[in-house]
Amino acid sequence: MKKEVKKELTKDKKTEAQIEKLVKKLTLDEKISMVHAAGLFQTGAVERLGIPSLKCSDGPMGVRNEFLNDRWIPNGNNDDNVSYLASNSALASTWNPELAYQSGQVLGAEARGRGKDVILAPGINIKRGPLCGRNFEYMSEDPKLTETLAVPFIKGVQENDVAACVKHFACNVQETDRLMVDTIVDDRTLYEIYLPAFKAAVQEGGSYSIMGAYNKLMGTHCCENKELLDRILREEWGFDGAVISDWGAVHKTKEAAEVSMDVEMSVFPDFDDYKFANPLKEAIQKGEISEKVLDDKVRNILRMMFRLKMVGKQKETRKAGTYNSPAHREAILHTAEESMILLKNEKKKLPLDKKKVKKLVVIGQNAAKIHSDGGGSAEIKALYEISPLMGLKTYLGGNTEVTYLPGYYVPDKPKTFDHNWQEKSLDELENTDIGVAVRNPDETLESAKEREEAFRVEEEARKAQLEKEKQLVHEKNKHLFEQALAAAKDADEVIFVGGLNHDYDSEGFDREDMKLPYEQDILIEELLKVRKDTILTFIGGSPVEMPWREQAETILWSYYAGMETGNAFAKILFGEVNPSGKLAETFPAKYEDCVTAKNGQFGIRGSITLSEGLYYGYRYFDRERIAPAFCFGHGLSYTQFTYSNLVLKPEKGKDKEKVVKVSFTIKNTGKTAGAETAQIYIAPISPKVDRPVKELKAFTKVKLAAGKSTKVTISLSEQDFAYFDADLHTFIADAGDYEIIVGASCEDIRLKGLCTLA
Ligand code: BGC
């Protein structure tokens, strides 16, 4: 039996003494100024004692543009364009921890270069289903893959003297009703699925800060949640950094003050009225809240500041960072290249031969679309973004005739929000989003009813607007389809670039279905009739249904892959880069196949119960034997790999821990160099408790020249065999037989072996 050991993070004694000294010197007002925002992205400073304000910025795909301090209006200085990094979903598809580290390095350096202390990234929520609007900002459906990439990412960021702020803690699995929704989850699921990446972020990544999520967890808002913030985060995991609230996630002064929530941020300019501003000060003065809780918060903030070299003598040695460097762009290109996923290449149509393509027709709006400026708080002001069309044209040069046709119509959406969308989104959500009944103590039943009615009316208007848009798309498409089909007939090659955009992949709302918008399915079917060999490529942040996938010969998928997307795209299509991305999430054939479609516990307001427990994503498809369109871990290469010689060796690790050494050989049997990600799943043979058929526990990505082979050795720890026993509140690795499965994907199993855990 493996008891979970509480990890004591080592605090530096000298720093702790300095912190104590400062805490003693700080007045109540000064302490209060440190624990709440004094600007949309910064806290108050205490200049008298050399304590600067804490400057934060979003987010995962690059450092966000500068706003005025108290309004969501860009300051307009035009010195805040930055490198646009691959989204976390793209990064995860590389299955490459080294690239995660490099991405962290780039983001950290850029954040520091822009004078920031905390970068509000990475987003590491688990993708429970395909429709969550923010999935593009998250890594994977699998906890192991998420944690393996999150840890080096955080280290990369923090090596630049900038704090990572892992978000959104915890179980922030949908955008619908995001400020109020209550996530109900059992302990086992929580500990096995939704917490491990956060735990690793804290204990292995050493994240200096963590963001408390908007939602409720088991009835209590995350930022007021004793169980989550005190017991789990502080006591079990030993976290001694700062908890920062999501922007507007603190609702009640006393409740939030009396748990380990340190910094209250929000979206409104009335900073003195924040819960941790005057209300907290007055409550302390009246003796309703002990000043000790404030001191603890200040300690956590100061500890982070010391680590970031923001205070004390070490300030001189703090890294300066930089942004927009050629080295950053190089790293971003590399990540983009490894992130794209070749889903299908049946007739080996790819790679194309540059010399043979004289007339290329490119169809589809995502060929020319720029994505960096959308998605919600992840939006950035990119220095540049190479679209696929631009990438193809610059790659091919003037000897190839490249014709672009939009193919389908995308309604020009006047942004539903002005620059102030972030404030409004919170305002509206708070006031109009529906609850089953009264949602807070200040609300009367009457006003709750009014709120519901207002919401209903708004929903109806929104749906009517959508219907209108669909109609418009339908009308405009007639002509655009004709144009595209005519051009396709007459080309050497046809590349379709479709998919989603940030009208779909976005903060603040979830997708309604998994279908490609703008009648793309109809166009694709027609295209495949005139050109069966159309190369279908997509850019999007989350899975889509592909009802035509059997007829299609070639499918390439890219998540939002950063400023160099177009260059990576061209290099892959023309074989200068061999694709090596693999899916970090299941691509279901249709949404109805997903467990959230069956149990209905997604996208509803009020509360959602994760009643599927461990069985979502591949764990669900495996158990139910439902074939997805493309399974977790899938991704092709232009070369082939064979796997052989599996050897399993039980050994004793340090502290006599039981470990199993797994080794096998991978050979590149094709004619081109390539990279392969081997995935190791563990399948208990006769488990004492209900367990998933198999679960990912390790993986490795190897790069091999044509004809070369390599021996891979990976150690599985006892923890890898364990499940969480909720009654005993501990992880247990039962003795017994386990199958070790080595796969090129979750379905493409190459080697199997049996091992016994004594
Ligand atoms: C988002 C966070 C983001 C914050 C600050 C919130 O709306 O949920 O992820 O970091 O805003 O922009």
Side-chain angles (χ1 to χ4, degrees):
M1 184 162 114
K2 174 143 178 26
K3 272 256 179 214
E4 218 201 346
V5 263
K6 185 180 146 187
K7 189 160 173 175
E8 288 293 348
L9 299 183
T10 41
K11 289 182 192 164
D12 175 53
K13 279 199 189 125
K14 227 169 97 193
T15 311
E16 293 304 309
Q18 281 175 288
I19 292 172
E20 284 318 307
K21 259 196 203 157
L22 281 171
V23 172
K24 283 204 185 90
K25 285 185 193 160
L26 285 159
T27 65
L28 177 62
D29 278 320
E30 288 169 339
K31 286 187 277 191
I32 288 286
S33 78
M34 288 175 68
V35 298
H36 73 89
L40 295 176
F41 283 99
Q42 61 179 329
T43 60
V46 185
E47 278 162 24
R48 181 178 75 87
L49 297 172
I51 302 172
S53 72
L54 193 67
K55 296 194 179 66
C56 310
S57 180
D58 285 300
M61 305 199 295
V63 189
R64 202 172 173 190
N65 67 287
E66 295 296 335
F67 292 96
L68 299 181
N69 194 45
D70 58 355
R71 289 162 78 192
W72 293 93
I73 296 178
N75 77 358
N77 284 351
N78 280 331
D79 56 357
D80 51 357
N81 293 70
V82 286
S83 301
Y84 163 34
L85 284 88
S87 60
N88 278 341
S89 44
L91 180 60
S93 317
T94 68
W95 293 63
N96 187 338
E98 175 54 30
L99 290 180
Y101 171 72
Q102 278 178 28
S103 299
Q105 274 279 1
V106 171
L107 189 61
E110 297 239 338
R112 197 56 219 114
R114 284 267 308 275
K116 305 301 174 196
D117 306 309
V118 181
I119 185 81
L120 307 170
I124 58 170
N125 290 101
I126 293 295
K127 300 183 188 189
R128 175 180 170 237
L131 298 186
C132 172
R134 287 189 93 168
N135 272 356
F136 75 100
E137 285 187 69
Y138 303 145
M139 289 180 172
S140 170
E141 69 182 40
D142 186 79
K144 192 73 194 180
L145 179 54
T146 306
E147 75 170 56
T148 311
L149 298 174
V151 167
F153 187 97
I154 293 162
K155 287 186 176 160
V157 167
Q158 297 193 159
E159 280 170 17
N160 292 281
D161 296 337
V162 167
C165 184
V166 280
K167 62 191 192 183
H168 307 87
F169 189 54
C171 291
N172 189 176
V173 289
Q174 69 172 39
E175 288 297 288
T176 307
D177 198 18
R178 65 181 180 149
L179 297 185
M180 287 293 175
V181 71
D182 187 7
T183 310
I184 308 295
V185 58
D186 64 85
D187 264 5
R188 179 169 176 203
T189 307
L190 187 65
Y191 274 81
E192 287 188 29
I193 304 290
Y194 294 96
L195 293 184
F198 284 102
K199 182 180 176 189
V202 166
Q203 294 195 334
E204 288 161 50
S207 190
Y208 297 153
S209 72
I210 189 165
M211 185 185 289
Y214 277 136
N215 54 289
K216 293 178 190 164
L217 180 62
M218 303 302 286
T220 308
H221 271 110
C222 288
C223 290
E224 290 147 23
N225 201 310
K226 207 172 167 45
E227 174 76 8
L228 187 66
L229 299 184
D230 287 355
R231 211 188 50 68
I232 297 176
L233 181 64
R234 300 282 185 194
E235 286 168 29
E236 284 188 8
W237 301 351
F239 180 66
D240 63 5
V243 180
I244 300 174
S245 78
D246 200 342
W247 270 229
V250 171
H251 299 257
K252 297 179 201 140
T253 307
K254 191 170 164 64
E255 283 78 352
E258 290 183 342
V259 299
S260 303
M261 232 300 304
D262 302 313
V263 184
E264 184 199 2
M265 300 301 291
S266 189
V267 297
F268 305 109
D270 54 343
F271 306 116
D272 290 341
D273 296 329
Y274 279 25
K275 309 283 185 288
F276 277 12
N278 285 336
L280 177 58
K281 182 179 153 188
E282 281 157 24
I284 290 176
Q285 282 168 334
K286 283 188 200 146
E288 292 163 5
I289 295 174
S290 157
E291 194 164 343
K292 281 198 187 119
V293 301
L294 177 61
D295 290 350
D296 278 342
K297 297 180 196 316
V298 170
R299 281 188 189 99
N300 292 332
I301 296 164
L302 283 173
R303 192 172 299 116
M304 174 163 75
M305 288 183 164
F306 272 101
R307 286 173 175 157
L308 294 174
K309 306 193 174 91
M310 291 172 68
V311 281
K313 287 196 198 108
Q314 31 151 28
K315 268 198 302 205
E316 302 305 318
T317 63
R318 189 175 191 195
K319 289 197 177 140
T322 186
Y323 58 115
N324 294 325
S325 75
H328 291 178
R329 301 197 276 275
E330 183 70 33
I332 289 168
L333 170 64
H334 207 111
T335 302
E337 288 171 357
E338 284 202 26
S339 76
M340 294 181 186
I341 307 149
L342 184 60
L343 293 175
K344 212 173 164 188
N345 195 20
E346 216 170 62
K347 297 264 165 75
K348 304 242 180 314
K349 176 95 191 159
L350 293 180
L352 297 171
D353 182 346
K354 192 173 175 175
K355 289 193 209 93
K356 290 191 186 144
V357 187
K358 296 290 167 214
K359 235 175 151 189
L360 176 66
V361 167
V362 180
I363 298 167
Q365 294 264 4
N366 265 350
K369 171 106 183 136
I370 296 301
H371 298 281
S372 47
D373 60 350
S377 61
E379 66 183 2
I380 59 151
K381 206 168 131 187
L383 181 65
Y384 64 78
E385 178 180 346
I386 309 281
S387 68
L389 186 61
M390 171 87 94
L392 286 170
K393 284 193 161 185
T394 52
Y395 187 84
L396 291 170
N399 292 344
T400 305
E401 186 193 316
V402 180
T403 309
Y404 167 64
L405 292 158
Y408 54 89
Y409 180 72
V410 174
D412 215 6
K413 277 210 176 162
K415 277 202 170 176
T416 43
F417 38 75
D418 47 30
H419 284 305
N420 229 354
W421 71 267
Q422 208 150 352
E423 180 174 337
K424 283 193 174 162
S425 75
L426 217 71
D427 220 3
E428 281 160 14
L429 278 170
E430 214 142 17
N431 294 326
T432 60
D433 223 16
I434 206 164
V436 199
V438 175
R439 304 191 73 162
N440 63 57
D442 307 329
E443 194 176 51
T444 63
L445 194 57
E446 211 37 51
S447 58
K449 276 186 192 153
E450 273 171 28
R451 168 170 50 73
E452 284 198 27
E453 181 55 16
F455 185 83
R456 196 189 57 73
V457 170
E458 234 180 61
E459 266 294 273
E460 263 176 24
R462 194 180 63 84
K463 286 200 175 134
Q465 176 61 23
L466 277 181
E467 237 359 90
K468 252 191 179 162
E469 272 175 26
K470 276 191 187 160
Q471 219 35 56
L472 186 65
V473 168
H474 187 66
E475 277 162 31
K476 299 263 188 191
N477 273 353
K478 278 183 207 149
H479 176 59
L480 295 175
F481 279 16
E482 270 170 26
Q483 268 186 339
L485 294 169
K489 280 186 199 143
D490 189 31
D492 292 339
E493 297 295 346
V494 181
I495 300 175
F496 174 83
V497 192
L500 300 170
N501 55 41
H502 288 305
D503 287 340
Y504 290 84
D505 291 310
S506 179
E507 178 175 341
F509 53 87
D510 297 310
R511 281 193 300 160
E512 290 189 356
D513 55 45
M514 228 181 82
K515 297 191 192 315
L516 277 169
Y518 319 122
E519 301 187 331
Q520 290 179 71
D521 285 334
I522 305 176
L523 174 60
I524 292 170
E525 266 163 29
E526 292 300 315
L527 263 176
L528 289 173
K529 276 185 209 153
V530 297
R531 287 294 299 246
K532 199 171 161 28
D533 65 344
T534 302
I535 297 160
L536 297 171
T537 72
F538 299 91
I539 294 178
S542 31
V544 295
E545 288 171 16
M546 300 182 182
W548 31 258
R549 69 185 182 285
E550 295 297 333
Q551 293 96 281
E553 291 171 3
T554 320
I555 309 176
L556 179 81
W557 179 270
S558 172
Y559 288 93
Y560 305 111
M563 65 205 297
E564 291 284 337
T565 294
N567 288 335
F569 183 81
K571 282 182 170 187
I572 285 183
L573 290 183
F574 286 89
E576 198 178 310
V577 167
N578 192 350
S580 65
K582 297 213 180 202
L583 291 177
E585 64 185 312
T586 308
F587 267 45
K590 51 187 191 308
Y591 181 61
E592 290 68 35
D593 289 344
C594 298
V595 73
T596 46
K598 303 224 163 94
N599 65 23
Q601 292 298 306
F602 176 84
I604 47 174
R605 297 189 298 281
S607 111
I608 48 164
T609 303
L610 312 191
S611 52
E612 71 282 359
L614 313 173
Y615 299 101
Y616 68 99
Y618 72 83
R619 289 163 171 82
Y620 176 72
F621 283 82
D622 253 10
R623 188 186 69 177
E624 299 298 309
R625 294 175 196 274
I626 300 170
F630 299 103
C631 71
F632 176 80
H634 171 73
L636 303 171
S637 164
Y638 295 151
T639 186
Q640 300 81 43
F641 299 93
T642 55
Y643 291 56
S644 60
N645 298 334
L646 178 66
V647 178
L648 305 174
K649 244 167 109 190
E651 283 184 2
K652 287 267 183 256
K654 56 175 167 49
D655 301 332
K656 300 222 169 100
E657 201 209 14
K658 290 173 235 167
V659 291
V660 177
K661 224 185 207 174
V662 182
S663 62
F664 53 92
T665 302
I666 303 183
K667 183 167 187 196
N668 179 349
T669 55
K671 292 197 177 68
T672 25
E676 170 71 337
T677 298
Q679 302 152 41
I680 301 179
Y681 298 84
I682 296 187
I685 298 293
S686 328
K688 287 190 190 146
V689 298
D690 183 35
R691 296 191 71 173
V693 178
K694 64 176 183 296
E695 291 183 281
L696 181 77
K697 292 298 169 187
F699 59 89
T700 185
K701 188 167 188 172
V702 294
K703 297 190 176 165
L704 288 171
K708 293 282 176 213
S709 61
T710 189
K711 185 178 166 186
V712 169
T713 306
I714 290 177
S715 270
L716 295 172
S717 71
E718 201 175 331
Q719 179 69 21
D720 291 328
F721 291 82
Y723 60 90
F724 188 76
D725 184 315
D727 293 332
L728 298 173
H729 198 78
T730 190
F731 276 94
I732 297 179
D734 281 329
D737 293 340
Y738 294 83
E739 195 164 43
I740 306 298
I741 298 171
V742 184
S745 79
C746 134
E747 283 176 3
D748 183 3
I749 306 304
R750 302 298 183 88
L751 301 167
K752 276 180 181 184
L754 208 63
C755 76
T756 306
L757 210 65

